[in-house]
Amino acid sequence: MNLPGITRRRFLGVATGAALLAGCSRRTTRVIPGEIVGPSRERGHRLRDGGFPAANTMERQGVVIVGGGIAGLAAARQLRKSGQEDFVLLELEDHTGGNSSHGANAVSAFPWGAHYVSLPPNDAREVIELYEELGLITGRDAAGRAIYDETALVADPAERLWVLGRWQEGLIPKVGASDADLREYTAFTAKMAEFKAARGRDGRRAFTIPVDRSSQDDAFTALDRMTMTQWLDAQGYRSERLRWYVDYACRDDFGGTRDQVSAWAGLHYFAARDGVASNAENDVVLTWPEGNGWLEKRLREPNADRIRAGLVAWNIEPAPDGGVRIDAFDFRRAQSIRFEARAAIVCVPRFVAHRLCAALRGRPAEPLEYGPWVVANLTLGERPGGRGFAPAWDNVFFDSRSLGYVNASHQRLDREVGPAVITWYSALCDGPAAAERAKAFDRTHADWCDLVLADLRRAHREIDETVRKIDVCVWGHGMIRPVPGLISGEARRRMAQPIGPIHFAHSDLSGLSIFEEAYTRGLLAASDVAEQLRPA
Amino acid sequence: MSTMSDRSTRLLLLASVFAIATCGLIYELIAGTLASYLLGDSVTQFSTVIGVYLFAMGIGSWLSKYVERNVLGTFIQTELFIGLIGGSSAAVLFLLFAQINSFRVLLYALVLIIGALVGLEIPLLLRILKDRLAFKDLVSKVFTFDYIGALLASLLFPLVLVPHLGLVRAGFLFGILNVLVGLVTVWLLREQVPWARGHAGTGFVILAVLLTGFAQSDRIMTWSEGATYSDPVIHARSSPYQRIILTRAGNDLRLYLNGNLQFSQRDEYRYHEALVHPGLARVPRRERVLVLGGGDGLAVREILKYPDVREVTLVDLDAQITNLFSTQELLVELNEGALRSPKVKVINQDAFIWLKQQTEKFDFIIADFPDPSNFSVGKLYTTAFYREVRRVLHPDGAVVIQSTSPYVARRSFWCVVHTLDASGFVTEPYHVYVPSFGEWGFVLAAPQSLAPVADLPPGLRFLTPETLAGLFRFPPDMGDVPTEVNRLNNQALVRMFEEEWKQYVH
């Protein structure tokens, strides 16, 4: 709401603005409090470099779950539901969550990674069941459509884009778009609707979640052999604005540009999500102040007694009795423990699994690419506004390589005044992943503050005065990148195969780093294990 | 110096008397008008402003005797400063009105300064001209021009300046005139004035400032709050949530929040009787009543007319509003001390958050929120909010929602009705004519149908059993229209509301 009249602050702003007009450098000079947080590089490197002491204690368990991200937590939940109470979950970090990690301060809870899920399509049966059990789906209407908890649906307005010096509603750049741009938007939207409805000769949807329930029809899988840019070229989409939007979508969901990501994956972003709700449009998402941390908490809490955090499994191998042996190092006690179990579910990224599993160490590693990410949580004295459309949940800059920011306070039910936390994201995908990763780890907290504030300043000139704290998290291997060939290739199928009593579950095996994939894989692997262990 | 140039100098100086007189009176009129406009009570304002102004002129005249050397230079400087201060006085008063606590101090200080400077002018001019004219001619001419200037000013001001230029622009225009007089004097007498260039430089800088002000007058007016209200503002404060303005003209007290009228003393009884009684008179039990919003206590005043009401809980976000309406004398008189009643509990919290934490039930609930003009307030009109309302409502109780104008924002009004329908209520929409608002709408909603019998309390000024029945009938131009249901995730109402009121206002 614009107040009539001039505030003192604005008046002073005008006066000092005029005085500073002579092109002063706007680099922040004050030191902004905060720190670099995130996955422990020290522990990760220790795992890479080896040299753990031999175990001097032994523990017997039915099942050992290695890794406490969404896949691991889903596996734990499913084991318990299947009556397999005898299990333990080992997590390298001091907390579970993986890419759904989250934090909180006096102002708000906030995400450190994934921050929303879309309405699940009918193919995502396991996910729908979870949402029903968590009370996210509160019932069904007469037509059978799910009724979602209104407070979890992203509050309107959901998205805005900073383009040509003002905010517009929605992420497709409308301000300054030519007629040719608009024609291409319409054509593209129609094409995506077509893909959404398309089914292959096998009767399955062309694109769905989970990925493995998508059609295997070559008419669609062929799209995995080209990049998204090649597909846009082949289809004759020339509009720079449309191409920007598609690129943004690829960077946002897959941590890679449209030149890096396969067309199948790029199209999956637009065409897979056909979930319907009785009380929302189907492009609406579910979100919480702490992002997917809300889901993580609810998966974790019922099994908190089985979670051992700060324990890294460093060797997993089949035991002579047909079971499995897991050596793990306890960072707090500085000693190793041997777990003897009937089965293991390895829920870690594939490149880590290669270091842990004796059976994989001999095999050549799959050529997987991981995109590095940086996430910054900013505590601000007041919620960012800006010229043009009202503040939204997701706020993106057209002329920036960042992914913009999400307002953690947006889902609050009260009238938003006072401090806020915003979460700024950037997928570091402009150079080769290894180089980007090295560059990201070299940056100091002050470097990141400069970079983040410079990005936000384009729409929020007051940001230097309102920022109170910036915490930064660098995800070196943020997420698997669905490069051409990964989704449809052989490697992915091979990775998902159990090796004796050792089962695998992680979104890497899907090629798409999303909650639904990790959850479904964890659940299915645990079902298999429970089935095998069930007394005949 | 030739006779010719002496003659023209004399003429010019006399012309400047005329200009000075006009400008001087204009500044006085601006100050008087502004004071009565912003503070009300025009007789007092004009009388005191004129008094202080004339007295200040006296001070100026008296001070003129201390100007011994460089009379001409001092005269020019005086011209330039009157131009600057007088010319920008209207803008300064408007801009600072809402920002400072002691507006009167600023007003009279400005009047004093301008008056003293104007008072200095004529004696100095008399001294400059005394060697160029015979004394009787001098006095006669100077005062003739002075009074003609005054007549011109007093006619120009109400007939041309205020209606066509506005106070702020008129101020700047006369400031510019004043400075031009100074500058022309410098130029004509440049050989007799020490530091002529310095004076000219100062003059041009001031001229530039005044010209900018003149050009930007519209912007200044939009910045200045004093100009937005048609009645004198008696209270202006900002809370963390909103801008609170009280105005008063005669016996009409009005409350504005963020520039939107909340009530007018003349007809608020129509609004508040219609808000409270059609529902409260029909519920079977009314021991515990909840008011959400409504920090002015006017709805509570109506509620307390029922002796069987045992407790009223009022939840209003803004402590500044509830404090104002429980302490300020005029306002307490208006709400009959409702917020001070021992039956009333005032809670300053966000209604949505507060409601979510409640476990006890209420017999009757009133939601009297501002109109859904932004996404933040829009949340209080959603299915998610109404479900919370239903949760804390007795099954045989009822809730009433103020729901904007069904005439101006017909779709918005019916959107509120349909949102309540979708939240599991039986709804009875109704409307009332409030002269200061126009046609206004409410929705009475209950988990189950209410008994038709209304048990109105005595002493109402508007509602009778007959008028009550009429409220529930809608003429075709305000009748039901299909709309979306308002949810947190679509904020359909805020979008509709903006569209409909935009069409109405422009």
Side-chain angles (χ1 to χ4, degrees), chain A residues 245-325:
Chain A
Y245 174 61
V246 172
D247 188 66
Y248 163 80
C250 292
R251 287 184 289 129
D252 189 43
D253 234 31
F254 309 125
T257 64
R258 58 178 158 76
D259 296 331
Q260 295 164 342
V261 166
S262 98
W264 195 95
L267 295 169
H268 184 273
Y269 176 90
F270 296 102
R273 295 165 168 84
D274 80 333
V276 287
S278 168
N279 56 342
E281 301 290 313
N282 63 0
D283 57 351
V284 152
V285 299
L286 299 164
T287 189
W288 304 267
E290 65 272 50
N292 291 4
W294 189 91
L295 293 165
E296 190 271 335
K297 261 191 277 186
R298 276 147 191 85
L299 292 177
R300 171 185 13 107
E301 274 158 8
N303 290 306
D305 55 339
R306 302 298 160 92
I307 294 170
R308 306 264 193 97
L311 242 76
V312 59
W314 51 270
N315 185 46
I316 303 171
E317 59 186 25
D321 64 353
V324 57
R325 208 184 261 159

Side-chain angles (χ1 to χ4, degrees), chain A residues 66-111:
Chain A
V66 178
I70 295 303
L73 294 171
R77 179 183 158 88
Q78 186 59 22
L79 285 179
R80 212 160 216 177
K81 283 186 90 176
S82 319
Q84 176 64 49
E85 301 272 336
D86 182 18
F87 69 92
V88 66
L89 184 152
L90 311 181
E91 166 58 46
L92 161 96
E93 301 289 340
D94 291 328
H95 60 86
T96 54
N99 276 5
S100 294
S101 294
H102 50 102
N105 62 23
V107 174
S108 176
F110 48 79

